[in-house]
């Protein structure tokens, strides 16, 4: 166990020896200003990002599906 002190608080973590393996879909990410700018027909195994909202989408058969669902909680 390491005790955090002023002397070791500023240490940095060396990640140079760690291999990062991304899922196949993450290896093909494309960004567009808005969802309206997406291609008419998407490609499987590709993630599309709407930069105006930050929402990621995937192509499903004949339409784009958000990877993060929005829940409408009404007005507060």
């Amino acid at each position: 166990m390491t005790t955090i002190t002023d002397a070791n608080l500023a240490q940095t973590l060396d990640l140079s020896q760690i291999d990062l393996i991304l899922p196949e879909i993450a290896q093909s990410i494309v960004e567009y200003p808005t969802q309206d700018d997406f291609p008419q027909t998407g490609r499987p195994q590709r993630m599309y990002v709407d930069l105006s909202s930050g929402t990621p989408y995937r192509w499903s058969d004949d339409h784009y599906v958000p990877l993060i669902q929005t829940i409408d909680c009404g007005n507060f």
Side-chain angles (χ1 to χ4, degrees), residues 47-60:
M47 185 185 329
Y48 298 85
V49 179
D50 173 351
L51 293 176
S52 68
S53 67
T55 305
Y57 293 83
R58 66 176 175 82
W59 180 253
S60 178

Side-chain angles (χ1 to χ4, degrees), residues 1-62:
M1 184 168 127
T2 301
T3 302
I4 298 175
T5 64
D6 288 337
N8 67 12
L9 188 60
Q11 291 179 348
T12 59
L13 182 59
D14 180 11
L15 300 176
S16 63
Q17 301 300 315
I18 297 175
D19 289 328
L20 180 62
I21 300 172
L22 297 173
E24 188 174 323
I25 193 171
Q27 295 175 16
S28 184
I29 300 171
V30 290
E31 299 175 332
Y32 291 91
T34 68
Q35 186 182 2
D36 292 336
D37 298 308
F38 289 4
Q40 186 174 355
T41 302
R43 293 185 184 176
Q45 301 303 321
R46 181 170 284 183
M47 185 185 329
Y48 298 85
V49 179
D50 173 351
L51 293 176
S52 68
S53 67
T55 305
Y57 293 83
R58 66 176 175 82
W59 180 253
S60 178
D61 297 323
D62 61 353

